[in-house]
Amino acid sequence: MAAFLIFLAGAYLILKGRNAKLEEERQKAQEEARVPVTEGLTLQKISYTDGEESMSYVKEEGGWMYEPEPEIALDQDVMETMADVFSNLTAERELKDGDELADYGLEEPAYTLNLTDEDGNETAIYVGNSLDDGRYVTMGDKSRIFTMDNELTGQLYFSLDNVAQQETFSISAGSANLQQVTISGPEGEKVYVNDQEEEVGDDSLQEDAEDQEEGESSTEASPIDTVIGGLGAIAFNSCADYHATEEELPAYGLDEASRITVTVTYTQDEETQTAVFYVGAQTEDGQDRYLQLEGSSMVHLATAAAVENVINP
């Protein structure tokens, strides 16, 4: 019995070693079959299309820019990753004596990628039908057909949300360090200082505030507490416009004549800080409002209820 167990153990080790060797040979064969499609390119321009939407980026001294609107700041880490992937594309294998281009979806490609290096040399890459964990790909004159994994298509972003530098709403003002919040707009100005509310400007605003104070119970949150809660709850849900011009701002209620200006004064590291943002119109469904940070051309969406707690506590 002991001899038989030893025999089984030996057979298992031999089989395990053989399987490991076969797997090693398989991986080696796969690596040897891989074909460089692009290799070590220094890219100056990247553009691609799915036949309906197109994206184009150029690299200048300051980094990558969105060609249609250079004013939009791009996330340079995202762009460098994209450029690195496209500069070193490798096909898993090249098809020999393949079928017609149409059979692989390459006669009318799903995507067309154009790469331009720093010397002005252009490389066109066409992406066709899907296959297991990849795509059929051809390039240039379409005389050669390859299979490639999804690394290429994974970098084809058709929304600025994926490549633009994002802004966040972050004002570090709470009950312990908030000094003052000023709300000013077409209807007048309200000033909230610490735990008390002061009104200036339109008399109707003063009267409304006094009526509200008379009806408040001692258990209700004070206006400044509601403001603080609103500031802490505001977050940008999405970007409605990455570069809104002066002519476009009225559509968001963010032109100077329409917008509400919120000025927050607070202390941080024992220094007085001031943050300013603008509140625009509500969306059609009333769920969100348009917001813009002072000095920015980006227009964001934030939950209307949180914003309302700040501008109308």
Side-chain angles (χ1 to χ4, degrees), residues 124-169:
I125 300 173
Y126 308 98
V127 181
N129 293 340
S130 299
L131 65 157
D132 291 341
D133 299 322
R135 292 270 191 166
Y136 291 108
V137 172
T138 187
M139 56 188 297
D141 61 5
K142 299 185 178 182
S143 61
R144 303 169 70 189
I145 299 175
F146 308 92
T147 63
M148 189 177 294
D149 62 27
N150 289 318
E151 187 176 31
L152 187 158
T153 54
Q155 296 295 318
L156 299 179
Y157 304 119
F158 286 93
S159 170
L160 286 171
D161 292 343
N162 300 111
V163 296
Q165 186 71 52
Q166 301 296 320
E167 291 181 340
T168 57
F169 187 92

Side-chain angles (χ1 to χ4, degrees), residues 18-32:
R18 181 178 298 174
N19 288 340
K21 185 176 181 181
L22 288 173
E23 177 62 20
E24 183 180 339
E25 290 175 351
R26 186 187 67 81
Q27 292 181 358
K28 183 179 179 182
Q30 283 183 334
E31 288 299 320
E32 290 176 348

Side-chain angles (χ1 to χ4, degrees), residues 24-311:
E24 183 180 339
E25 290 175 351
R26 186 187 67 81
Q27 292 181 358
K28 183 179 179 182
Q30 283 183 334
E31 288 299 320
E32 290 176 348
R34 294 178 71 84
V35 182
V37 174
T38 60
E39 195 170 11
L41 297 180
T42 302
L43 294 178
Q44 195 74 34
K45 182 175 180 178
I46 298 170
S47 61
Y48 49 85
T49 181
D50 63 359
E52 295 182 359
E53 297 185 60
S54 299
M55 303 292 279
S56 182
Y57 316 97
V58 292
K59 190 170 187 180
E60 304 291 350
E61 290 184 3
W64 285 98
M65 302 169 60
Y66 181 54
E67 190 172 36
E69 296 183 77
E71 301 87 354
I72 296 175
L74 299 184
D75 186 322
Q76 295 301 310
D77 290 338
V78 171
M79 292 306 304
E80 287 298 338
T81 297
M82 180 192 294
D84 184 60
V85 169
F86 292 158
S87 297
N88 299 280
L89 291 170
T90 303
E92 293 181 338
R93 63 190 177 97
E94 181 178 358
L95 302 183
K96 301 296 184 180
D97 301 321
D99 296 326
E100 299 296 322
L101 288 171
D103 296 319
Y104 303 104
L106 292 169
E107 192 170 87
E108 297 181 5
Y111 305 102
T112 298
L113 169 66
N114 288 289
L115 305 173
T116 305
D117 67 17
E118 60 183 354
D119 296 321
N121 301 313
E122 297 184 10
T123 302
I125 300 173
Y126 308 98
V127 181
N129 293 340
S130 299
L131 65 157
D132 291 341
D133 299 322
R135 292 270 191 166
Y136 291 108
V137 172
T138 187
M139 56 188 297
D141 61 5
K142 299 185 178 182
S143 61
R144 303 169 70 189
I145 299 175
F146 308 92
T147 63
M148 189 177 294
D149 62 27
N150 289 318
E151 187 176 31
L152 187 158
T153 54
Q155 296 295 318
L156 299 179
Y157 304 119
F158 286 93
S159 170
L160 286 171
D161 292 343
N162 300 111
V163 296
Q165 186 71 52
Q166 301 296 320
E167 291 181 340
T168 57
F169 187 92
S170 179
I171 299 177
S172 303
S175 57
N177 67 334
L178 180 68
Q179 293 182 346
Q180 177 175 297
V181 176
T182 303
I183 315 295
S184 59
E187 296 184 2
E189 183 176 273
K190 294 182 287 186
V191 180
Y192 300 91
V193 180
N194 297 326
D195 293 328
Q196 63 182 352
E197 180 184 58
E198 294 181 359
E199 299 282 354
V200 296
D202 196 329
D203 291 340
S204 64
L205 292 177
Q206 176 71 38
E207 293 171 3
D208 289 344
E210 291 173 353
D211 292 342
Q212 181 182 358
E213 287 174 358
E214 289 176 3
E216 285 180 349
S217 68
S218 60
T219 59
E220 290 180 335
S222 67
I224 194 64
D225 288 334
T226 303
V227 170
I228 292 170
L231 288 172
I234 291 177
F236 293 150
N237 299 330
S238 62
C239 184
D241 196 325
Y242 280 95
H243 180 64
T245 63
E246 290 293 329
E247 294 74 21
E248 293 169 330
L249 288 177
Y252 303 110
L254 286 168
D255 55 299
E256 198 167 332
S258 305
R259 70 194 183 193
I260 297 170
T261 300
V262 181
T263 304
V264 183
T265 306
Y266 60 101
T267 57
Q268 187 172 24
D269 298 328
E270 299 183 353
E271 292 186 2
T272 299
Q273 306 286 338
T274 300
V276 178
F277 65 95
Y278 307 117
V279 178
Q282 286 189 348
T283 53
E284 289 186 6
D285 61 8
Q287 297 299 308
D288 296 303
R289 289 192 78 142
Y290 296 107
L291 262 64
Q292 186 179 38
L293 299 179
E294 183 185 40
S296 173
S297 61
M298 296 172 68
V299 176
H300 303 273
L301 287 172
T303 304
V307 177
E308 189 69 16
N309 282 340
V310 175
I311 64 175

